[in-house]
Each structure stands twice: as C-alpha cells, then as structure tokens.
C-alpha cells in the first residue's frame, strides 16, 4: 500500500509540475551558455531563448545556418531562436548516481564561423521510490545479546540523488526491542543498522517481526519497505571478531581472474557449531560483482578484470558468522593500481596545407594536443619526430604541441614532406601513437629561367628569304605553373637601351628565331643579339643569353678586273718583241671577287684571241704568256679576251679585253700611242710596208759599216736600253682603282728586256699610294678575307719565281 501510495503521489506530481528553466551565463569560459531543466520533460519543451541570450535576431540564426553539434538531446528552432528538448530526458539513464548531470554541446554559426559552448544541467525530480534488494531479512539473535548491539542492514536503493534519495528509516509497528540507526561513515558512505534496545527473552517471545521503512526527501516523499524477521537463539555468548576493523589491499588492474586480493580473518571464542565461522559479503547497497570471498578461508578473489580508469578504489563489507548465528562485520578497501594499458591519444586542432616554400623558419604548420587515460608515469607523454630535419616540435601550453618549420624550404628540391609525430608515454613498456602529417609545398617564383646552352650560334645564307626560321632558343624554369611559363624577347645590351637590330625576331612563345629581311654577307658577316627569357611570376624573373648569327657567303658577286683597266677605250696595248720565246710573260690579268672562301677563288681562261695558238693564260695566276715564238706571219696587233671565273656554284665570270703589239724594234714605242691605237686593221699593213722599205734601204747603206760594231755592242746596247711603258696611264688607273676602294695599294710595272732571254719579266715595286685600311661592315660583321687582296708589295719573284734574267730594283735605279 505504501508503494502504491508513492506511485500515485509521483503521478500527481508529474501532472502539477511546472517546468522551471534557469539560465546561467557563466563568465568562467568565453562564449559558454549554461541552463538547467528538470528531467522527464516532454518533447519540444522550452529550454532557453538562444537568440535573446546571444543578442542575435532569430532571422540571423537562420541566415547563418545555426545548428547544434553534439548530443542529439536538444533541438534549435531557427525561426524563433528557441532551444527545445528533442526527446524525453531521464537523468538516471544519462548520468546514473552522479551528483550533477550536465549535457554539453556546441552551437555553430556560419558566416562568420562562431562556436558557443552550451551546458544544460538536468535536475533530478523525485520519480523513483526507495527499493530494498530483499523483501524479507532474517536475523538470528542470541537471547543473551546485550542492549546496544547493532545489526547491519542492506540499505534501500533510490535512483534519485540529493534530497530525493533516501533520507530516513523507521520501524513499523514500533516495538520495544529494536530501533533503526541511519547515518554516514567516512567518505560519505551511508549505513543502516538495527539496534537492540533491550535484551531478548526467547521464553517470552521466540520471534520478532516488523517492517523497515525507507523514506526519501522528495515532495511528496516516496518510501520503500522490507520485512525484518528476528529469530532469538539460545545462548551463544561469543560472536566472531575480526583481527582488524578495516582491511586494505592493492591489486594491478590487469590482474587475471581468480587472483587473491587479500584475506580477512575472524575468530570466535566459542567451540563447536557456535565457533564455526563462515565469511560472506555484507549487503550494503554496493554491488561487488568484481570480487568473491571464500566462505571458509576468507580469501577475497577477482571474478573479472578491473579497470583503473573506471574505478580506482573499491570498498565493501565482509561478514563473519559463526554456527550459532553470531557475526561480525569489517570494512575492506581495495586500491586498483594502474598499469600502462592505454596508448596516448593525439588530436589535431589545426593543420596548414599546402605550405608556401618561402615560409620563414618557425612557421607553425600544425597544432595538436595529446592525452593519456593512465595515471602517473604511465600517463606522462613525450612527443618526437622521426628522421625529420626540416620540422620540429615545440610545446605550446599544457599538453598542446606545435609542429614548426626548422629551415628554409625548397619546393624544387622536395615537393612533399611526410612528417610522422610519435607520442609515447613513460610506462614500462611504453605505449606509442603515431600521427602522420603530409605537408605539400606550394611554389613561389624563386627560380629564373635557365637556357639549355651557354650561347647560341646560328647560320643563315645571305640573300635569304624574309621571315626565315634559322633556329630556336630554349630555357627551362624549375618552378611550376605560371612561375614556370617562359616567354622570349629581344633585350638591349644595357637596360636603358633599345634593341638596335631590326632584322632578327624571336617568337615569344616557343623561342623560334627568325630573320626578317635579306642579309648581305659583303655588308655584315655576323650579328649578335641578346635574347631574354622571362617567367610569368610576380615579380617575374629573367635570364639573358647571346645569340650569334653567322652569315654564310653565297656566290652573288662577279669577279672585278683590276688590270688591265677596262674603262679605257680602246684598251692599252702590251709590247711583245718578235724575238720573244715561248713562255714570254706579256702581262698579268689582276682580278678580285667580293665573295669569300671558295666563291672568291678565281681562275683565268683564254676566251678569244686573234691567234689562239699564240697565247696561253695561267689558270691560277692570270699571267698571259707566249705559247710559241712569234713569226712574221702573225698579225702585228693581237687582240685577246681573258675569261675570269670564280669557283662558286654556279660560277660567275667576267672578261678582260687586252691587245698586244708584236714589234721587231722597241724604238717604235716612241710613236704616239694614239696613232697606233687608232689605225684600222686594213691601213696598218700598207704603212708597215712603206716603213719597212725605208728601214731596209737605210740599213743596207750602214750595214757594212756597222756590222762589226753591231756584233760587239749588240748585247750591251740592248741591256742599256729599257722602256718604262705607260707609267702615267698605269699610275692614274691604279690611283682611280684605289680611290674607288677596289685595290688596297697602287703599284707600277717595270719592263726589262734582255737579248739572251726571249722573256719579258714584270716586277711589282713598292706601292705608290699609301695602304688603305680594310673596310668593316656597317654592323661590325667582319672584313674581306686577307687572302683576296694584297696588303703589301708583291714582287715578280713571288709571281714567277722560276723566271731568270730579271733586273732588280737597284739595277733599274742605277740605269
């Protein structure tokens, strides 16, 4: 009936209870809201006005996507900003016998991200009645028991806490023999004892029965009842006595099942059945399922493994009862010793990835915390890195660590770092936990482009077509992305200058080099430009390289005849004595070619002649010589055309026209050169015949007189007679050629005639005009080859070293 009455009062209380809400905004932690509410509230019951407490309009909660992150016991109404109960809360189910029951969770707001910690305390209501584990408890008490003897009882259990738990015990109906004592021992442990108020008399009353009522402090109060049955025994004067009131023991949490924790010992002065002692756990409201006691020996053993992290101490009572029903009670305290059975835990709070390669040493890459559920040395944690020189660990505060850079990073050397952090405790053996951080290094523009060559030399033939591709430059950049995109351009030699060459262009994308207009080898031999390669970084980096363009000569210049001059009309005539033998040097054709190399190698050929069989032309020297001795049948005036051809492909050529006079006596050279040159071929024969008749007549008169003298003096007279022919004309033509820049030096010829030799020799003397400097290309490309033009006096010994009988310059001057 009492229990039924308690249930009715509880139902009545649920109907009239008014939901009470207390809002506590504590300043102990930033952004923490604290509320409380009673348990067993209906779903969607109001808890708090979050919007009002945060000072935020309900519309902003919806806009900022407010949500509850944590246990799903509560729900946030975004439209109203109210925090309501998501489900019925049972404090006993959530927190058990804990004195306080707090449900923490986080309230998240986005844009910007804000986190508020919310704690809701669930307050207990008196919704449980005290309950005894046994409906009937029987005691056997000797009739000789003295008043004041106490008998431990198992207290009633009430799932409620605080004032709603058991507050008092009473006996009904009241009797004169027993009373109940209720109180707390050390460490708040409550006890209930039945106290003997007066001696029992088995002869008057063999059994005593009554109810023990436990009442809690709720409003209205609830109660529970158990029946007490007292059996009065015959005289057993001595009850068991423990050797000590409190037994203490220690055991490792990893001790195996069946391990002996300790032994309790009790003695009884009685003998026989009254002295036989058995040990039992006393039912004091605490379940000791982890332990068992041997009834005979009193050894307390483990029945299942212990967990230091769950409970560090165990306390319970042991009852020693003799055969006559007397017993004694002692307290047993068991301390659980920690072993290193929990590895450290590592929780990452922040991690920066990727990391710029120009990050300064000491940059924080990651922030993490470590913890260990073990205690003492087993819970002391140290962190370390495995084989890593670029990063290190730095303690931050409490159990937080920072992963920081130790040195400058280089993405081109290492693109990614695998950093392994090891957290180890100080247990024996130690337990470890590893956390791997994969740090990607992002690129910055710290590498300039690098050309694949130290310099470039490109070749192009002159007279090229416009926009001709002649080669390419290439540069690589060790960076990636835009920092590695290379563009090419022409750069001035100095930053303040502009590129001076307009004939070369570089493709900015692929580095192809083009010649924009035709080039002339005779004007410029080579061109040097500076090409710049720049990346697309910010700021951009660049590198320069020299590109040398070499122009290759083509055979585009015909040979130029310097001597005999082709500008005079008619051309000058060379004097050839009729007595000249085969191989006699008549003249030398001198020509040059503006090209170089093989294109400037000249060869000479007799193209036409009045008598082709009379003359021969040196293919390499250009010397015109008699091929055979002249005869009277040969025409006096011989016309020749010499072909000058270079060695190019195809070859180019020029012609040199010259004439030769076959004379018996060089006195005829005193005749005006113009009259000889202007006679036509038909009239000259008649004139020669008349002159011949006159000479023959005169010679016949003086022949006899001069015959002897002629024989003696002929050689001396011929040696004493020399002719410098055409000196003025020759010097003027050479001067004109030197002025035009065709020949570098002006020269004159000396003609020496001898009777012993049928040959005539030429000898180049020292230059009449000073040497002209070599002409350079307007762009500094180069000069004509030195082998093309003479740079000093050339003697006939060099031109015809095998020709004997030549007069030296000293002999000529003495004459």
């Amino acid at each position: 009936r009492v229990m039924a009455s308690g249930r009715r009062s509880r139902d009545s209380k649920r109907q009239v209870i008014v939901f009470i809400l207390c809002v506590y905004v504590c300043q102990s932690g930033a952004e923490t809201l604290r509320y409380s509410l009673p348990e067993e509230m209906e779903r969607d019951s109001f808890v708090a006005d979050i919007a009002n407490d945060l000072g935020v309009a309900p519309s902003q909660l919806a806009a900022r996507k407010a949500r509850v992150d944590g246990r799903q016991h509560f729900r946030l109404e975004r439209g109203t900003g109210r925090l309501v109960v998501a489900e019925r809360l049972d404090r006993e189910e959530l927190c058990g016998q804990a004195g306080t029951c707090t449900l923490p969770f986080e309230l998240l707001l986005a844009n910007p991200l804000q986190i508020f910690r919310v704690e809701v305390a669930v307050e207990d209501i008196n919704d449980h009645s005290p309950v005894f584990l046994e409906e009937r408890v029987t005691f056997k008490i000797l009739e000789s028991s003295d008043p004041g003897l106490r008998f431990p009882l198992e207290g009633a259990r009430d799932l409620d806490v605080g004032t709603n738990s058991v507050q008092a015990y009473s006996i009904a109906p009241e009797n004169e023999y027993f009373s109940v004592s209720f109180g707390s021992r050390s460490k708040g442990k409550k006890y209930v004892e039945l106290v003997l108020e007066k001696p029992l008399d088995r002869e008057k009353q063999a059994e005593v029965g009554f109810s023990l009522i436990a009442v809690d402090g709720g409003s209205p109060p609830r109660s529970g009842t158990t029946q007490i049955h007292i059996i009065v025994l015959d005289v057993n004067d001595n009850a068991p006595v423990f050797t000590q009131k409190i037994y203490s023991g220690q055991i490792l949490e990893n001790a195996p099942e069946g391990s002996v924790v300790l032994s309790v010992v009790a003695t009884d002065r009685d003998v026989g059945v009254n002295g036989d002692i058995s040990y039992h756990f006393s039912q004091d409201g605490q379940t000791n399922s982890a332990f068992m006691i041997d009834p005979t020996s009193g050894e307390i053993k483990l029945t299942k493994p212990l967990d230091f992290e769950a409970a560090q101490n165990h306390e319970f009572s042991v009852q020693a009862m003799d055969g006559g029903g007397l017993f004694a009670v002692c307290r047993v305290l068991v301390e659980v010793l920690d072993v290193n059975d929990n590895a450290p835990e590592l929780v990452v709070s922040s991690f920066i990835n990727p990391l710029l390669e120009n990050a300064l040493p000491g940059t924080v890459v990651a922030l993490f915390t470590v913890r260990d559920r073990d205690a003492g040395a087993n819970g002391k944690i140290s962190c370390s890195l495995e084989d890593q020189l670029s990063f290190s660990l730095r303690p931050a505060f409490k159990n937080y660590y920072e992963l920081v850079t130790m040195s400058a990073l280089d993405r081109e050397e290492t693109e990614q770092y695998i950093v392994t952090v090891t957290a180890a405790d100080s247990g024996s053996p130690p337990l470890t936990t590893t956390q791997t951080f994969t740090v990607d290094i992002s690129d910055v523009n710290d590498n300039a482009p690098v050309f694949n060559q130290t310099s470039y030399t490109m070749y192009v033939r002159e007279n090229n077509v416009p926009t001709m591709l002649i080669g390419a430059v290439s540069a690589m950049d060790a960076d990636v992305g835009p920092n590695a995109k290379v563009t090419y351009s022409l750069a001035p030699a100095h930053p303040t200058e502009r590129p001076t060459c307009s004939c070369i262009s570089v493709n900015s994308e692929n580095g192809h080099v083009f010649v924009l207009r035709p080039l002339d080898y005779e004007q410029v031999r080579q061109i040097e430009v500076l090409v710049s390669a720049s990346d697309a970084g910010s700021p951009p980096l660049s590198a320069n390289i020299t590109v040398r363009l070499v122009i290759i000569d083509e055979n585009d210049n015909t040979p130029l005849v310097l001597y005999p001059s082709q500008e005079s009309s008619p051309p000058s005539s060379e004097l050839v004595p009729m007595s000249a033998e085969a191989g006699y040097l008549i003249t030398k054709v001198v020509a040059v070619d503006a090209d170089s190399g093989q294109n400037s190698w000249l060869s000479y050929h007799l193209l036409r002649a009045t008598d082709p069989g009379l003359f021969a032309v040196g293919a390499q020297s250009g010397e015109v010589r008699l091929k055979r001795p002249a005869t009277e049948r040969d025409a006096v005036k011989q016309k020749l055309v010499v072909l000058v051809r270079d060695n190019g492909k195809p070859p180019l050529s020029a012609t040199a026209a010259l004439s030769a006079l076959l004379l018996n006596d060089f006195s005829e050279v005193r005749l005006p050169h113009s009259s000889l040159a202007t006679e036509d071929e038909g009239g000259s024969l008649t004139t020669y015949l008349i002159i011949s008749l006159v000479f023959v007549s005169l010679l016949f008169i003086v022949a006899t007189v001069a015959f002897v003298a002629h024989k003696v003096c002929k050689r001396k007279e011929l040696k004493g007679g020399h002719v410098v022919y055409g000196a003025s004309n020759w010097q003027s033509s050479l001067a004109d050629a030197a002025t035009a820049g065709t020949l570098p030096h002006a020269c004159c010829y000396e003609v020496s005639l001898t009777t012993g030799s049928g040959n005539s020799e030429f000898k180049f003397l020292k230059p009449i005009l000073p040497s002209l400097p070599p002409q350079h290309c307007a762009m500094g490309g180069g000069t004509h080859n030195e082998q093309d033009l003479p740079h000093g006096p050339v003697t006939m010994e060099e031109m015809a070293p095998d020709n004997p009988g030549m007069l030296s310059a000293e002999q000529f001057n003495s004459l």
Side-chain angles (χ1 to χ4, degrees):
R1 287 195 300 271
V2 174
M3 294 181 65
S5 175
R7 293 192 184 94
R8 287 195 298 271
S9 63
R10 184 178 61 183
D11 295 337
S12 175
K13 182 177 180 180
R14 286 183 176 177
Q15 294 177 2
V16 300
I17 189 169
V18 177
F19 297 148
I20 302 173
L21 175 65
C22 298
V23 179
Y24 301 96
V25 180
C26 300
Q27 302 302 322
S28 60
E31 306 297 340
T32 302
L33 305 177
R34 289 185 172 86
Y35 307 97
S36 65
L37 78 164
E39 64 175 335
E40 302 295 337
M41 293 184 66
E42 296 292 334
R43 183 177 179 179
D44 295 332
S45 298
F46 175 79
V47 177
D49 190 349
I50 292 293
N52 182 52
D53 295 339
L54 295 179
V56 178
S59 59
Q60 291 185 1
L61 293 179
R64 295 179 64 181
K65 300 179 180 180
R67 64 185 179 88
V68 172
D69 186 15
R71 300 182 181 179
Q72 302 302 318
H73 300 307
F74 304 94
R75 181 169 50 84
L76 178 64
E77 296 179 352
R78 294 182 181 176
T80 61
R82 290 164 22 108
L83 182 68
V84 298
V85 177
E87 60 184 8
R88 184 185 293 272
L89 302 178
D90 186 355
R91 194 201 67 81
E92 288 74 22
E93 179 181 349
L94 294 174
C95 302
Q97 294 296 306
T100 59
C101 184
T102 302
L103 302 180
F105 60 92
E106 285 76 32
L107 178 64
L108 304 180
L109 300 180
N111 301 321
L113 177 62
Q114 286 184 289
I115 301 176
F116 299 91
R117 184 173 179 82
V118 181
E119 295 180 356
V120 178
V122 180
E123 296 182 350
D124 181 64
I125 63 173
N126 193 23
D127 57 343
H128 294 86
S129 298
V131 176
F132 287 93
L133 295 180
E134 296 180 359
E135 295 182 356
R136 182 181 178 90
V137 179
T138 301
F139 290 97
K140 294 180 180 181
I141 304 174
L142 290 173
E143 62 178 350
S144 60
S145 299
D146 296 331
L149 184 63
R150 295 174 177 266
F151 303 94
L153 296 172
E154 180 183 1
R157 299 184 62 185
D158 194 334
L159 296 179
D160 297 325
V161 296
T163 58
N164 293 328
S165 63
V166 176
Q167 299 297 318
Y169 290 86
S170 61
I171 293 175
E174 294 183 356
N175 61 79
E176 58 181 324
Y177 295 103
F178 296 94
S179 65
V180 64
S181 175
F182 173 71
S184 299
R185 293 191 179 94
S186 61
K187 298 184 180 180
K189 190 66 178 179
K190 294 182 179 181
Y191 67 93
V192 181
E193 294 177 339
L194 193 62
V195 181
L196 181 62
E197 295 294 337
K198 59 180 294 185
L200 296 175
D201 188 359
R202 182 179 176 278
E203 286 70 22
K204 284 182 64 175
Q205 188 175 355
E207 295 184 358
V208 178
F210 51 89
S211 297
L212 178 63
I213 302 173
V215 181
D216 62 23
S219 178
R222 294 173 176 267
S223 62
T225 303
T226 185
Q227 296 298 316
I228 304 298
H229 181 213
I230 305 298
I231 299 176
V232 181
L233 300 178
D234 201 11
V235 175
N236 182 15
D237 298 337
N238 295 285
V241 177
F242 283 97
T243 58
Q244 58 189 64
K245 294 183 178 180
I246 299 177
Y247 289 85
S248 298
Q250 294 179 335
I251 188 168
L252 294 174
E253 65 174 327
N254 64 345
E257 182 179 346
S259 299
V260 177
V261 180
L262 55 84
S263 296
V264 295
V265 178
T267 61
D268 196 331
R269 296 173 61 186
D270 296 328
V271 295
V273 176
N274 293 332
D276 294 335
I277 299 174
S278 61
Y279 301 92
H280 308 277
F281 286 125
S282 177
Q283 300 297 328
D284 55 356
Q286 178 175 348
T287 302
N288 299 304
S289 59
F291 302 92
M292 64 168 290
I293 188 169
D294 190 313
T296 303
S297 64
E299 291 182 346
I300 299 175
K301 300 179 180 181
L302 289 180
T303 60
K304 65 179 182 180
L306 301 176
D307 188 1
F308 173 85
E309 288 71 32
Q312 301 179 11
N313 295 282
H314 294 271
E315 181 181 356
F316 49 88
S317 299
V318 174
Q319 186 181 74
M321 182 176 293
D322 61 15
L326 298 180
F327 62 90
V329 177
C330 69
R331 305 296 299 172
V332 177
L333 301 178
V334 178
E335 181 183 3
V336 181
L337 300 180
D338 181 57
V339 295
N340 194 24
D341 60 346
N342 290 280
E345 298 176 7
L346 192 149
V347 180
V348 179
S349 300
S350 175
F351 179 41
I352 299 175
N353 191 46
L355 184 65
L356 289 175
E357 67 174 326
N358 63 348
L360 297 177
T363 301
V364 178
V365 179
L367 176 67
F368 60 90
T369 180
V370 292
R371 63 184 181 184
D372 196 323
R373 297 178 60 195
D374 295 323
N378 296 331
K380 186 177 180 180
I381 304 173
S382 61
C383 295
S384 62
L385 294 179
E386 295 182 2
D387 299 332
Q388 184 55 250
L389 300 179
S390 299
F391 298 85
S392 67
L393 290 177
R394 183 173 64 191
F397 57 93
K398 293 185 179 180
N399 54 346
Y400 281 85
Y401 288 85
E402 294 176 343
L403 179 65
V404 299
T405 58
M406 281 291 291
S407 59
L409 304 176
D410 188 0
R411 188 207 63 82
E412 288 70 34
E413 180 179 349
T414 305
E415 296 183 357
Q416 187 182 81
Y417 290 88
I418 306 298
V419 183
T420 302
V421 177
T422 301
D425 59 26
S426 300
S428 180
L431 300 179
T432 61
T433 297
T434 59
Q435 174 69 39
T436 300
F437 295 91
T438 301
V439 183
D440 298 316
I441 308 302
S442 61
D443 184 63
V444 297
N445 192 27
D446 58 347
N447 288 278
V450 177
F451 286 92
N452 58 1
Q453 297 179 204
T454 57
S455 64
Y456 289 85
T457 300
M458 302 178 184
Y459 299 89
V460 62
R461 292 188 176 274
E462 66 174 333
N463 305 317
N464 57 284
V465 297
T467 66
M468 178 181 180
L469 175 65
I470 60 172
V473 296
S474 177
M476 299 296 294
D477 197 307
D479 297 320
V480 295
N483 297 331
K485 181 176 176 58
V486 179
T487 57
Y488 305 90
S489 63
L490 289 178
H494 300 284
T496 57
E497 297 179 358
R498 298 181 61 187
T500 57
C501 183
S502 61
C503 60
I504 294 179
S505 175
V506 178
N507 189 304
S508 62
E509 295 296 327
N510 53 27
H512 287 178
V513 180
F514 297 88
V515 176
L516 300 180
R517 57 181 175 83
L519 300 177
D520 188 359
Y521 175 83
E522 286 69 37
Q523 293 183 3
V524 58
R525 298 293 177 89
Q526 70 178 24
I527 301 172
E528 288 188 359
V529 295
L530 201 63
V531 176
S532 176
S534 300
D535 58 27
S538 179
L541 301 178
S542 62
N544 297 331
I545 197 169
T546 300
V547 176
R548 181 180 296 105
L549 175 61
V550 178
I551 295 91
I552 301 175
D553 181 61
E554 285 192 339
N555 193 27
D556 60 343
N557 290 278
T558 58
L560 175 63
V561 178
L562 303 179
Y563 182 83
S565 176
Q566 301 300 301
E567 295 179 357
S568 61
S569 181
S572 60
S573 298
E574 303 293 338
L575 301 180
V576 180
M578 293 294 292
S579 60
E581 296 179 356
Y584 177 85
L585 178 62
I586 299 173
T587 187
K588 179 180 176 67
V589 177
V590 180
V592 294
D593 196 321
D595 296 321
S596 65
Q598 186 174 343
N599 296 327
S600 65
W601 297 351
L602 301 180
S603 60
Y604 303 85
H605 310 275
L606 182 61
L607 184 62
R608 291 194 304 273
T610 304
D611 188 354
L614 183 60
F615 303 95
V617 178
Q620 303 300 326
S621 62
E623 295 175 347
V624 181
R625 297 177 182 269
L626 285 178
K627 192 174 183 180
R628 60 176 175 79
T631 64
E632 294 297 331
R633 292 189 301 271
D634 295 326
V636 175
K637 185 174 183 180
Q638 297 283 333
K639 290 186 177 181
L640 296 87
V641 178
V642 177
L643 176 69
V644 182
R645 183 171 58 193
D646 59 24
N647 199 33
K649 293 182 180 180
L652 300 178
S653 61
T655 58
L658 54 94
S659 63
L661 294 179
L662 303 179
L663 301 177
N664 288 321
D665 190 350
F666 276 8
S667 60
E668 296 176 352
V669 301
R670 289 186 173 86
L671 296 175
H673 179 70
S674 60
S675 64
L676 292 174
T678 56
E679 288 178 351
D680 57 16
E681 187 174 352
S684 62
L685 181 59
T686 303
T687 303
Y688 287 155
L689 291 175
I690 296 173
I691 294 174
S692 299
L693 290 175
V694 174
F695 281 159
V696 169
S697 299
L698 292 175
L699 290 174
F700 180 78
I701 295 174
V702 297
T704 303
V705 179
F707 179 76
V708 176
H710 177 71
K711 288 292 185 179
V712 175
C713 299
K714 184 177 180 181
R715 181 178 297 274
K716 183 177 181 180
E717 289 176 358
L718 288 174
K719 287 183 177 180
H722 64 277
V723 179
V724 178
Y725 171 72
S728 61
N729 293 339
W730 178 235
Q731 292 179 6
S732 63
S733 64
L734 288 175
D736 293 340
T739 305
T742 306
L743 279 175
H745 305 289
C747 303
C748 67
Y749 287 102
E750 176 185 359
V751 180
S752 300
L753 304 178
T754 63
T755 57
S757 169
N759 300 330
S760 298
E761 302 293 341
F762 286 90
K763 182 176 183 181
F764 287 99
L765 302 180
K766 294 181 180 181
I768 298 175
L769 297 178
S771 299
L772 298 177
Q775 300 297 317
H776 294 274
C777 179
M779 300 189 70
T783 62
H784 292 287
N785 293 336
E786 294 181 358
Q787 66 270 21
D788 296 340
L789 298 176
H791 286 254
V794 180
T795 64
M796 283 304 297
E797 287 86 354
E798 297 174 314
M799 300 179 62
D802 298 332
N803 218 354
M806 179 181 296
L807 289 176
S808 65
E810 290 78 3
Q811 292 172 331
F812 174 75
N813 292 333
S814 65
L815 292 175

